[in-house]
Amino acid sequence: MNTEASAGAPADDGIDLAAEHEALMQFLYLAPVGLVQARGDGEITLSNPISAQLLMPLSRDGCLDNLFTALQDVAPEVRNLCEQFTAPRGRICDGLHIHLHGGGRRTPGILSLSIVKLDPSRLMAVLQDVTLQVQRDRQLRQSDAWLNALLASVADYALVSLDREGRIEQWNDSIGRVTGFSESVVGQPYAVFEPEDTTTPERARDLLREADDSGWSLDEGLRMRADGTPFWGSAMITPLPERDPLAPDTEAAYCLVLRDITDRRDASESWRQAVFSDHLTGVANRRGFFHAAELELGRARRFPRPVSLALFDLDHFKRVNDAHGHPVGDAVLREFAQALRNAFRAVDVVARLGGEEFAVLLPSTETEQACAVAKRLLATVEGLTVRVDGVAVAFTVSAGVAGWKPRLGGIDDLLKRADRALYAAKADGRNRVVCWRLDLQDTAA
């Protein structure tokens, strides 16, 4: 059996060698780069179609029988490189760029040439047209240089790249210049530039979604430097194009442009205060409250999240005015407004709706959480004493709290629920918090 097997082996090897030769020829023919095998003097013994396409336009006489002759007008040094390479084998050149400004080529281009000495009598050359690749590399370097120049020249802008979750990806000098943050900020949510209670995670995601939907999002408000000092800043977020269009799983990314607008904000603050602030207490007025509420409920409809409303009414406030006069009553209102500011977050909308009635809209807050904060506030108010011209006045407050649901209508429906809860708190003896419940549905507020 071994003899038979041995007798058949040469035939099988012959078939294998023929098949391998055929496969090698197909590879050379279909290879995406130019392949040339030549003798030591440059005479071409084997080449594929791509190499012919690249070298033929360079030939003076239209023939392609010698590699060195074909390249003599654009790369005469190739002949010397090969002749001076005395080792029996090895790499003669690797990725040598040949600029095609001559040789009859109409359009300037760049070839990449690598030559390997296979043995003392054979060379293998690999040719590739890298014109577009070189142009792209040059454009990328120019873009990097332009961006670095921009980052180095602007004084009141910070450019930050964000990942799909809004986390900071890279640190640069502009971040340090505007915010004072160091590289340790990398990996943190971009909300690190905002005071702790002026935003919510849902709000931060809203701006990314708005950027996806509209191409950009813009938000102005208080920002925080690394040393804790606040400043007014605008934050514009734009989605970046996919980094690699050939990679379908490339993650989304964003660019955040953070700008210090303190000077501009100072100029417009008086106008904003006149339109949206209550002149007596400094909190939002009725117009400002409804404007902010419609925006927040609009966001909650698009991206569901809890929203709560707390209504407050000072107990027996008319008695304060009647007994001590309106200046004392005004001082009580101001003191209560300050207590509201202290109790609630900066992201909450504190407003005076009229008279002694106040409202607080709490984004991303469940009703139970809003009730808990309202109860702490009432306990604080119960210990307050307002002194005006030697007159000491204590006061209490009643509150009604309700939560918004998608099936509810707008802010008016939410106000009705909170108002009925407030009415129940008054009816139960005042100085208490009542949360909305179904049995208050038919209560006359």
Side-chain angles (χ1 to χ4, degrees), residues 120-271:
S121 61
R122 292 188 303 163
L123 303 173
M124 178 59 76
V126 180
L127 287 152
Q128 187 174 8
D129 188 338
V130 294
T131 305
L132 291 178
Q133 178 184 337
V134 172
Q135 289 176 347
R136 288 168 182 163
D137 290 345
R138 184 182 299 120
Q139 290 171 352
L140 183 59
R141 288 195 300 273
Q142 289 174 341
S143 296
D144 287 344
W146 175 83
L147 181 59
N148 289 332
L150 181 64
L151 292 176
S153 61
V154 296
D156 56 351
Y157 287 85
L159 273 68
V160 185
S161 61
L162 307 175
D163 66 12
R164 62 183 303 173
E165 301 296 333
R167 294 182 294 253
I168 299 166
E169 284 193 316
Q170 293 179 332
W171 183 92
N172 58 61
D173 290 340
S174 70
I175 301 174
R177 192 165 51 246
V178 174
T179 69
F181 279 99
S182 65
E183 292 188 66
S184 61
V185 77
V186 173
Q188 298 189 47
Y190 75 86
V192 69
F193 299 126
E194 302 176 17
E196 185 175 358
D197 62 349
T198 60
T199 188
T200 63
E202 290 81 3
R203 176 60 179 152
R205 284 194 289 272
D206 283 347
L207 296 180
L208 298 181
R209 294 190 185 105
E210 290 176 15
D212 286 332
D213 294 340
S214 305
W216 58 278
S217 64
L218 181 64
D219 179 59
E220 294 185 356
L222 274 180
R223 301 292 183 264
M224 188 69 72
R225 295 187 177 87
D227 62 4
T229 57
F231 67 99
W232 282 104
S234 69
M236 186 174 73
I237 297 176
T238 57
L240 294 174
E242 289 185 353
R243 296 167 186 171
D244 184 358
L246 299 179
D249 57 347
T250 300
E251 292 188 348
Y254 304 87
C255 177
L256 165 66
V257 180
L258 186 63
R259 184 185 180 191
D260 186 338
I261 59 168
T262 302
D263 293 341
R264 183 160 61 87
R265 178 74 184 192
D266 289 344
S268 63
E269 184 62 12
S270 58
W271 176 86

Side-chain angles (χ1 to χ4, degrees), residues 313-317 320 395-398 426 430-432:
D313 192 87
L314 276 66
D315 297 328
H316 303 300
F317 184 68
V320 175
F395 62 99
T396 60
V397 179
S398 298
K426 294 280 188 181
R430 295 182 172 82
N431 191 24
R432 67 193 63 216

Side-chain angles (χ1 to χ4, degrees), residues 3 62 66 82 139 161 171 184 237 331 342 352 375 411:
T3 303
N66 191 287
C82 294
Q139 290 171 352
S161 61
W171 183 92
S184 61
I237 297 176
N342 296 338
R352 181 188 177 203
K375 288 177 181 177
I411 185 62

